Amino acid sequence: MKPADIGILIVDDEASVRDSLCKWFRLDGYRVDTADEGASALRKLQDDSWDIVLLDIKMPGMDGLELQRRIKQIDKDIVTIVMTAFASVDTSIQAMKEGAFDYIVKPIDPDDMGHLIRNAVQHRQLLTENLNLRQQLAEMSYSDEIVGESDAIRQVLARVATVAQTDSTVMIRGESGTGKELVAMAIHGNSNRRYFPMITINCGAYTEGLLESELFGHEKGAFTGAMYRRRGKLEMADKGTLFLDEIGNIGRKMQMDLLRVIESRQFTRLGGDKQIQADFRIISATNRDLEQAVREGSFREDLYYRLNVFSITLPPLRERKSDIPLIARFFMNRFARSMNKAVTDISPETLDMLMKYNWPGNIRELRNVIERAMVGAKSSRIDPGDLSFPFHPSPGAVEDESLEAVEKNHIQNILSRTGGNVSQAAAILKISRLTLYNKIEKYQLKKG
């Protein structure tokens, strides 16, 4: 990293200190700016990126310790160095405890300051390199976590590989717990955008107003409690990927706003008037029947087609039971490492129980069952006694029937209860209408 790539912000109410430091650092080739008090420094931090902040402890208004706390809220990796004319041990210790890289006592010796800045630059470089390595390692593992050898999961991986090389919008569909976010991560991690961030937002977790603020960001004073300017997820995803989970839950106004952003790639923060441009790819996910929502008028048809350029549907775990042993062992090995337990196998009886269960919570439920089993396992393998299911098939009832017979009878029962309404039955069963139609055809069921 060259000195010109390093931004240093100097915050001190004494003009002579600011001018001296500014001159020294510019001679060394650094990008430098100054602020005479805390509020001005925070505005500069909001408007531009800085690597190192030199701040005075004693300043009118906001003191250096409070300014450092605000800086760490904006970006915890900014390196802060405290300057003080008061060689107070208590103040120095407090600053270091709250994240300062180091402190220096006034009057400042140029040689001491030069040595300190070189150390701070090396520290900042290490932080950046560690962050990039962690991101790359995390991205590399995403596609590896999509475990399975069934035809259904092979088709999913083939579609991931196909679409990852493009910039098309992708809609991932499937029941809760089937791994939609992992598929989104695999697409991002194998795309040309993989060295930029993937920003995730669960649209179903926010009210419309909060979701608007999360996506678009806001200016200071845009609404009650907006004390600082805040970047939204759209800005954060610049050059990367924006993953919109539970897209089917957003309201009509947000649907219209999102459509406008997708078409123009421009937006403004709440309370602002400056047009912001961002280049991001959108991947969305839903467990809802969006075609039905479009027909009912609760989801915009034009937005649906903009989001659904390429579609990937994840099968529920009960439709790829041959993958259960592989997935169970995958989680067993992972928890064995994280828990430091010498559990290396799963007994045949345990696998038989796992195969007979219907897994309404899909892979997420299987993961939790294996984690609980690992916590309680007393030997080198997971035995039936280590499992804790929320549902236990009663002896002599379900176990005397095949899995397909149980599924067939259950679907027929639900169809009878809904008077043959496939949409209602699919919602109760928590599967897509297409999946239900396939099962009706497979089992030759009557809809009424």
Side-chain angles (χ1 to χ4, degrees), residues 145 329-339 367:
E145 291 193 11
R329 287 195 168 93
F330 171 81
F331 287 129
M332 176 195 71
N333 291 329
R334 170 187 282 185
F335 290 123
R337 288 193 297 271
S338 64
M339 297 178 186
R367 177 187 185 280

Side-chain angles (χ1 to χ4, degrees), residues 148-158 313 315 319-320 322-323:
E149 294 180 348
S150 62
D151 289 342
I153 208 64
R154 286 178 187 275
Q155 289 174 18
V156 167
L157 290 171
T313 301
E319 292 184 6
R320 56 181 188 110
S322 61
D323 288 332

Side-chain angles (χ1 to χ4, degrees), residues 173 286-295 423 426 432-434:
R173 322 182 72 147
T286 183
N287 57 9
R288 289 190 60 193
D289 184 345
L290 283 191
E291 290 84 355
Q292 180 68 20
V294 169
R295 284 192 292 274
S423 295
S432 70
R433 292 171 69 249
L434 178 60

Side-chain angles (χ1 to χ4, degrees), residues 104-166:
I104 191 165
V105 179
K106 296 178 180 177
I108 298 171
D109 181 88
D111 291 336
D112 290 345
M113 177 57 83
H115 181 70
L116 187 56
I117 288 296
R118 285 193 290 275
N119 288 342
V121 169
Q122 289 178 356
H123 180 69
R124 175 70 172 175
Q125 286 176 321
L126 283 175
L127 288 175
T128 303
E129 288 170 7
N130 286 340
L131 180 65
N132 291 337
L133 282 172
R134 284 200 302 271
Q135 186 172 349
Q136 289 176 28
L137 286 171
E139 286 171 350
M140 287 171 65
S141 67
Y142 292 149
S143 56
D144 293 342
E145 291 193 11
I146 304 174
V147 179
E149 294 180 348
S150 62
D151 289 342
I153 208 64
R154 286 178 187 275
Q155 289 174 18
V156 167
L157 290 171
R159 290 182 71 77
V160 167
T162 297
V163 79
Q165 303 307 313
T166 74

Side-chain angles (χ1 to χ4, degrees), residues 174-240:
E175 297 177 18
S176 295
T178 48
K180 295 188 286 296
E181 185 166 359
L182 278 180
V183 170
M185 290 175 175
I187 294 171
H188 172 75
N190 289 281
S191 74
N192 292 331
R193 296 176 179 270
R194 60 185 176 277
Y195 298 115
F196 296 94
M198 173 175 157
I199 303 296
T200 298
I201 184 165
N202 185 338
C203 301
Y206 297 92
T207 63
E208 188 158 276
L210 285 175
L211 180 59
E212 193 176 20
S213 175
E214 285 292 317
L215 277 176
F216 295 94
H218 59 73
E219 297 289 344
K220 179 182 178 183
F223 49 82
T224 304
M227 299 177 65
Y228 299 102
R229 173 188 292 169
R230 185 180 178 192
R231 298 167 70 218
K233 304 290 189 188
L234 295 173
E235 281 185 80
M236 294 179 190
D238 188 29
K239 297 183 177 59

Side-chain angles (χ1 to χ4, degrees), residues 128-403:
T128 303
E129 288 170 7
N130 286 340
L131 180 65
N132 291 337
L133 282 172
R134 284 200 302 271
Q135 186 172 349
Q136 289 176 28
L137 286 171
E139 286 171 350
M140 287 171 65
S141 67
Y142 292 149
S143 56
D144 293 342
E145 291 193 11
I146 304 174
V147 179
E149 294 180 348
S150 62
D151 289 342
I153 208 64
R154 286 178 187 275
Q155 289 174 18
V156 167
L157 290 171
R159 290 182 71 77
V160 167
T162 297
V163 79
Q165 303 307 313
T166 74
D167 226 10
S168 298
T169 59
V170 182
M171 181 174 288
I172 305 170
R173 322 182 72 147
E175 297 177 18
S176 295
T178 48
K180 295 188 286 296
E181 185 166 359
L182 278 180
V183 170
M185 290 175 175
I187 294 171
H188 172 75
N190 289 281
S191 74
N192 292 331
R193 296 176 179 270
R194 60 185 176 277
Y195 298 115
F196 296 94
M198 173 175 157
I199 303 296
T200 298
I201 184 165
N202 185 338
C203 301
Y206 297 92
T207 63
E208 188 158 276
L210 285 175
L211 180 59
E212 193 176 20
S213 175
E214 285 292 317
L215 277 176
F216 295 94
H218 59 73
E219 297 289 344
K220 179 182 178 183
F223 49 82
T224 304
M227 299 177 65
Y228 299 102
R229 173 188 292 169
R230 185 180 178 192
R231 298 167 70 218
K233 304 290 189 188
L234 295 173
E235 281 185 80
M236 294 179 190
D238 188 29
K239 297 183 177 59
T241 300
L242 179 66
F243 177 52
L244 301 169
D245 200 5
E246 296 189 31
I247 188 68
N249 292 349
I250 64 174
R252 292 286 292 181
K253 180 179 181 303
M254 180 54 67
Q255 292 176 30
M256 185 173 63
D257 292 343
L258 195 57
L259 179 64
R260 190 179 302 119
V261 170
I262 293 173
E263 292 180 339
S264 68
R265 291 294 195 266
Q266 290 187 339
F267 56 91
T268 59
R269 299 190 189 106
L270 300 185
D273 54 13
K274 178 184 174 185
Q275 284 284 336
I276 300 170
Q277 280 196 317
D279 170 28
F280 49 82
R281 177 191 202 162
I282 288 185
I283 300 175
S284 61
T286 183
N287 57 9
R288 289 190 60 193
D289 184 345
L290 283 191
E291 290 84 355
Q292 180 68 20
V294 169
R295 284 192 292 274
E296 293 171 349
S298 60
F299 200 89
R300 291 180 66 103
E301 185 175 19
D302 43 9
L303 177 60
Y304 168 76
Y305 285 116
R306 292 291 286 136
L307 294 173
N308 194 31
V309 173
F310 192 90
S311 178
I312 296 177
T313 301
L314 299 185
L317 188 55
R318 62 182 170 277
E319 292 184 6
R320 56 181 188 110
K321 288 204 166 189
S322 61
D323 288 332
I324 287 177
L326 277 176
I327 299 171
R329 287 195 168 93
F330 171 81
F331 287 129
M332 176 195 71
N333 291 329
R334 170 187 282 185
F335 290 123
R337 288 193 297 271
S338 64
M339 297 178 186
N340 196 27
K341 296 191 73 167
V343 179
T344 57
D345 200 4
I346 303 176
S347 71
E349 297 80 7
T350 305
L351 286 177
D352 187 53
M353 288 182 67
L354 297 177
M355 295 289 283
K356 285 179 178 176
Y357 187 54
N358 208 35
W359 300 108
N362 291 295
I363 298 172
R364 183 182 297 136
E365 184 181 12
L366 175 56
R367 177 187 185 280
N368 293 341
V369 165
I370 296 298
E371 183 176 5
R372 288 196 295 270
M374 289 291 290
V375 170
K378 301 292 190 302
S379 67
S380 62
R381 71 176 189 177
I382 298 175
D383 291 314
D386 299 320
L387 299 181
S388 56
F389 282 98
F391 166 73
H392 295 277
S394 57
V398 176
E399 288 185 349
D400 288 343
E401 299 178 18
S402 70
L403 179 63

